[in-house]
Amino acid sequence: MNIPSQLNGVVADWVVLNGGANDLSGSGCGCRVCDSVLDRLISESGMRGAIPELVAELRRRGSRVVWLDYYTSPRYAGTSCVAPYRILKERLDRMAAADQGVIVLDLDSVFQSDDLSLFSRDRVHPSRQGSGRIADLVAPVLIR
């Protein structure tokens, strides 16, 4: 499940990624350790941590990077679980602002947590329709 190891040797014009949800949800919805998990993933400045290191390595290989920020799933909408993901998004935006070869796309722009047709039965992962919305958001970035 280690994302960097999945990308060993990958050289591509574009790499589309997301990550961090399992790290944050693994600490529980009360998120007693969210600050330390967030800091390990990406610092407040957006310049240090596992995510910026991975993105920097991909950029050194010549890839441009699209990072997909998480949508709010029905399972977590309206709970304290949403706050760490908003902080993650702010930090990702700072990372992307420092490098024109990195784009952060906000999946909440195409997902509504109350539209269950966008989610699989687990109410976390996207359905076929939800996946189509993600593809419609990403495709224009890759072809420009």
Side-chain angles (χ1 to χ4, degrees):
M1 296 296 290
N2 181 292
I3 294 171
S5 67
Q6 294 175 38
L7 295 170
N8 281 341
V10 170
V11 177
D13 291 339
W14 286 97
V15 177
V16 180
L17 298 166
N18 84 342
N22 291 335
D23 301 272
L24 289 170
S25 65
S27 61
C29 197
C31 222
R32 292 179 196 90
V33 295
C34 273
D35 289 343
S36 63
V37 172
L38 280 164
D39 288 341
R40 254 189 357 264
L41 291 172
I42 185 168
S43 65
E44 191 171 338
S45 70
M47 300 297 113
R48 293 181 321 281
I51 292 172
E53 288 171 15
L54 173 60
V55 169
E57 174 58 28
L58 291 167
R59 296 290 292 132
R60 279 191 289 278
R61 296 181 204 170
S63 298
R64 290 178 283 176
V65 175
V66 174
W67 193 279
L68 300 178
D69 182 51
Y70 293 103
Y71 50 76
T72 302
S73 73
R75 184 185 286 181
Y76 300 112
T79 72
S80 61
C81 290
V82 175
Y85 295 98
R86 289 198 176 121
I87 294 168
L88 178 63
K89 168 77 165 70
E90 292 166 4
R91 293 178 181 195
L92 290 166
D93 286 340
R94 288 183 199 116
M95 176 186 68
D99 184 341
Q100 290 184 331
V102 179
I103 298 169
V104 174
L105 296 177
D106 184 2
L107 294 183
D108 270 333
S109 69
V110 294
F111 271 72
Q112 296 77 39
S113 60
D114 61 348
D115 184 349
L116 297 182
S117 70
L118 301 175
F119 299 91
S120 66
R121 272 191 213 146
D122 67 6
R123 295 176 36 195
V124 172
H125 295 94
S127 65
R128 176 176 236 129
Q129 182 178 344
S131 295
R133 288 203 180 178
I134 294 170
D136 290 344
L137 182 67
V138 174
V141 172
L142 303 181
I143 59 174
R144 57 174 138 135

